[in-house]
């Protein structure tokens, strides 16, 4: 059996043999007649290809993973992007290009060859935000060195120059802290006993919860000296607590950040001489997990914008359901954004007051504030309209040039009890709040040819009022009083109802 390394694929634990990676360049060769060679143009890298082999076997003892290869194959049948936690590269999002299967039922051993293509380019839309998650993670990685430096300075102030020798000592992670420094003075020993008690409290807190293998904490190296031992234990303890109260994708944002803030305050108050270390560490984690909340919220907004920008009906008049359901979490409100930002910045500012050189915390605070301001500026632009007679909410959307999918958001904005009978003043999305939609009503006079999605339709009789919508699939003249089917939108045609399938905009 070759050397195997632990890995994960969408949460499925794997034991893999890392074979090789392939990185190739996209080189364009411009060749010219009667000239040797070529003019080369570097267009960037192709997607990284990672080849691994996953091993599953039963050894007749405690190792029983052979049947798990069937679970992996069932999971890979789905047509979706996966996340591979590679033992060297860390978390990678991409797709499985090919699968090779080798199994032996008698030996109870299976080997699955996977060719994984790493996709670095994320799906984007017309609204561009700074990568709040990436910026916060970069700030956190920088904060580790700052936290270790602050801890070293505090120890130097507490026990004197002997701290430099202690910090330079490589620790055995299996043994206790004090027993590895039997040569220090009594003052230093007393200080180290306090450090060991502090670390023991951190490592023993919520120790029934495992730190996830695909988190940032799992790939960070904190160092094998005393500051690294302390800062690493603090980071993993804070992450375990964040897992115990939910996740950034599913928990209520205000409650999630509020619980994390309260816990960090309690941890700091109970840390005694190491309160400054606890405050710096928890503030960095507060900034990071708040950024994860904002990233999950932005993903929700992007999904809704993408769904609302698509036609509600296809060319055959069939309803196209949105990418999200009513049970999915709702995007954060302005109040939730401001409340979570205030909680995070209060803890960050308190930490900066103790360590003015914590530039990473300042960057993290600026990143969070910039993101919230961008969302507030570019969030839905609203206007108020009056509905005289009771109308279904979908029809109100059509009258004001909104797609069917916008009805969900109008329902949450107005707290409408019965969407089939809406009247009075309601708040709707103003022009420009949703991209790629018709925002106007057009009047077609008698005998005029009107273009719908490239098809010409001649309307007879009196004037016809219509809005834009899906796509016209046929051209046909409409006589007075005649009903014409183009999808399933209703317009007024000489007092009669004419149904047609329009498109995203009437040309």
């Amino acid at each position: 059996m070759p050397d195997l390394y632990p890995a994960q694929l969408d949460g499925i634990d794997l034991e893999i043999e890392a074979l090789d990676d392939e990185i190739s360049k996209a080189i364009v060769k411009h060749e010219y007649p009667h000239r040797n060679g070529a003019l080369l143009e570097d267009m960037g890298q192709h997607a990284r290809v990672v080849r691994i082999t996953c091993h599953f076997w039963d050894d007749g003892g405690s190792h029983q993973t052979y049947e798990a290869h069937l679970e992996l194959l069932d999971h890979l049948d789905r047509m979706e992007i996966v996340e591979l936690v590679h033992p060297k590269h860390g978390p990678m999002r991409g797709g499985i290009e090919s699968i090779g299967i080798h199994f032996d039922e008698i030996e109870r051993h299976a080997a699955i060859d996977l060719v994984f293509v790493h996709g670095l380019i994320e799906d984007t839309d017309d609204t561009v935000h700074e990568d709040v998650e990436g910026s916060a993670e970069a700030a956190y990685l920088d904060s580790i060195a700052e936290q270790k430096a602050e801890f070293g300075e505090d120890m130097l102030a507490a026990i004197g120059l002997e701290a430099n020798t202690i910090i330079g000592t490589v620790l055995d992670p299996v043994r206790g802290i004090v027993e590895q420094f039997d040569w220090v003075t009594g003052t230093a020993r007393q200080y180290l006993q306090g450090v060991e008690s502090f670390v023991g409290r951190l490592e023993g807190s919520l120790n029934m919860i495992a730190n996830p293998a695909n988190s940032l904490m799992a790939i960070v190296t904190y160092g094998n000296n005393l500051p690294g031992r302390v800062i690493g234990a603090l980071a993993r303890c804070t992450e375990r607590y964040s897992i115990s109260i939910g996740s950034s994708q599913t928990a209520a944002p205000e409650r999630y950040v509020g619980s994390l803030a309260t816990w960090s305050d309690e941890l700091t108050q109970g840390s005694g001489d190491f309160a400054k270390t606890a405050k710096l560490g928890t503030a960095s984690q507060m900034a990071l997990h708040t950024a994860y909340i904002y990233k999950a919220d932005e993903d929700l907004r992007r999904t809704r914008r993408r769904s609302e920008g698509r036609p509600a009906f296809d060319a055959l008049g069939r309803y196209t359901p949105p990418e999200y359901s009513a049970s999915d979490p709702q995007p954060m409100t302005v109040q939730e954004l401001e409340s979570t930002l205030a909680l995070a910045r209060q803890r960050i500012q308190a930490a900066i007051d103790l360590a003015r050189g914590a530039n990473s915390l300042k960057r993290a605070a600026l990143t969070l504030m910039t993101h919230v301001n961008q969302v507030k500026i570019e969030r839905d632009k609203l206007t108020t309209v009056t509905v005289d007679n009771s109308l279904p909410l979908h029809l109100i959307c059509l009258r004001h040039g909104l797609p069917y999918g916008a009805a969900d958001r109008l329902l949450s904005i107005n707290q409408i009890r019965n969407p089939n009978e809406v009247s009075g003043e309601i708040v709707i999305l103003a022009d420009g709040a949703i991209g790629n939609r018709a925002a106007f009503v057009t009047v077609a006079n008698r005998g005029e040819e009107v273009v719908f999605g490239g098809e010409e339709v001649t309307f007879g009789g009196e004037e016809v009022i219509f809005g834009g919508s899906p796509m016209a699939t046929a051209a046909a003249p409409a006589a007075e009083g005649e009903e014409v089917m183009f999808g399933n939108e209703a317009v007024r045609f000489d007092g009669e109802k004419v149904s047609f399938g329009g498109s995203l905009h009437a040309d």
Side-chain angles (χ1 to χ4, degrees), residues 303-349:
T303 299
R304 280 161 172 73
R305 286 195 295 264
R306 190 166 54 236
S307 293
E308 292 168 355
R310 289 204 308 259
F313 296 89
D314 61 17
L316 300 178
R318 295 174 298 193
Y319 177 65
T320 305
E323 297 181 31
Y324 58 92
S325 64
S327 60
D328 290 342
Q330 294 295 317
M332 295 174 67
T333 64
V334 173
Q335 180 181 356
E336 289 175 330
L337 287 167
E338 293 178 341
S339 175
T340 52
L341 177 64
L343 288 171
R345 293 195 66 191
Q346 286 172 3
R347 273 67 189 177
I348 293 173
Q349 185 60 52

Side-chain angles (χ1 to χ4, degrees), residues 125-281:
D125 58 14
D126 56 341
T127 304
V128 179
H129 291 280
E130 183 182 357
D131 183 9
V132 63
E133 181 185 46
S135 299
E137 287 185 342
Y140 176 76
L141 293 176
D142 292 341
S143 76
I144 294 173
E146 295 174 355
Q147 293 178 58
K148 292 166 67 174
E150 289 291 337
F151 180 83
E153 292 178 4
D154 293 343
M155 185 164 59
L156 186 64
I159 64 175
L161 295 177
E162 196 173 9
N164 294 326
T165 307
I166 294 175
I167 292 174
T169 301
V170 177
L171 298 182
D172 183 351
V174 179
R175 300 171 59 195
I177 294 175
V178 177
E179 65 177 299
Q180 300 185 59
F181 295 99
D182 53 0
W183 45 265
V184 298
T185 62
T187 302
R189 176 175 294 274
Q190 185 178 2
Y191 181 84
L192 291 173
Q193 287 174 347
V195 173
E196 188 166 42
S197 176
F198 178 56
V199 171
R201 180 190 173 197
L202 295 174
E203 292 178 344
S205 178
L206 302 172
N207 56 5
M208 298 301 294
I209 299 176
N211 292 91
N214 62 343
S215 69
L216 180 65
M217 306 304 123
I219 62 174
V220 172
T221 301
Y222 294 95
N224 52 9
N225 59 0
L226 184 60
R229 179 92 168 256
V230 174
I231 303 306
L234 178 59
R236 287 186 287 271
C237 177
T238 307
E239 184 183 46
R240 288 196 299 272
Y241 179 78
S242 70
I243 296 171
S244 71
I245 60 176
S247 72
S248 58
Q249 283 76 28
T250 59
E254 252 184 317
R255 185 179 62 191
Y256 179 85
V257 178
S259 298
L260 196 58
T262 302
W263 180 83
S264 64
D265 292 344
E266 293 174 352
L267 178 65
T268 301
Q269 293 172 3
S271 298
D273 295 335
F274 306 99
K276 176 183 175 182
T277 300
K279 189 177 287 291
L280 287 172

Side-chain angles (χ1 to χ4, degrees), residues 11-12 81 104 174 184 200 206 247-248 274 309 361 405 421 437 441 450 463 466 481:
I12 301 175
I81 299 300
D104 189 330
V174 179
V184 298
L206 302 172
S247 72
S248 58
F274 306 99
L361 285 176
E421 296 181 2
R437 66 175 176 85
V441 172
V450 183
E463 72 177 10
F466 59 90

Side-chain angles (χ1 to χ4, degrees), residues 311 313-314 452-453 467-472 486-489 500-506:
F313 296 89
D314 61 17
F452 271 79
S469 65
M471 179 180 290
F486 273 41
N488 51 5
E489 289 200 15
F500 61 92
S503 54
L504 288 182
H505 21 257

Side-chain angles (χ1 to χ4, degrees), residues 363-443:
R363 290 204 336 261
L366 179 61
T367 296
L368 298 178
M369 184 180 66
T370 301
H371 177 82
V372 171
N373 287 340
Q374 285 181 338
V375 173
K376 288 167 63 178
I377 290 172
E378 297 185 5
R379 66 176 284 108
D380 302 335
K381 302 173 179 64
L382 306 176
T383 186
T384 302
V385 298
T386 301
V387 181
D388 296 328
N389 300 318
S390 295
L391 293 174
L393 189 57
H394 285 99
L395 185 54
I396 294 175
C397 290
L398 293 179
R399 284 202 166 188
H400 295 279
L402 298 171
Y404 285 105
D408 288 339
R409 271 203 279 175
L410 297 190
L411 199 61
S412 61
I413 292 171
N414 293 277
Q415 301 297 318
I416 298 171
R417 292 186 178 181
N418 185 2
N420 293 320
E421 296 181 2
V422 180
S423 61
E425 289 190 350
I426 67 168
V427 177
I428 67 169
L429 305 170
D431 290 351
I434 298 179
N436 298 329
R437 66 175 176 85
F440 50 84
V441 172
T442 306
V443 177

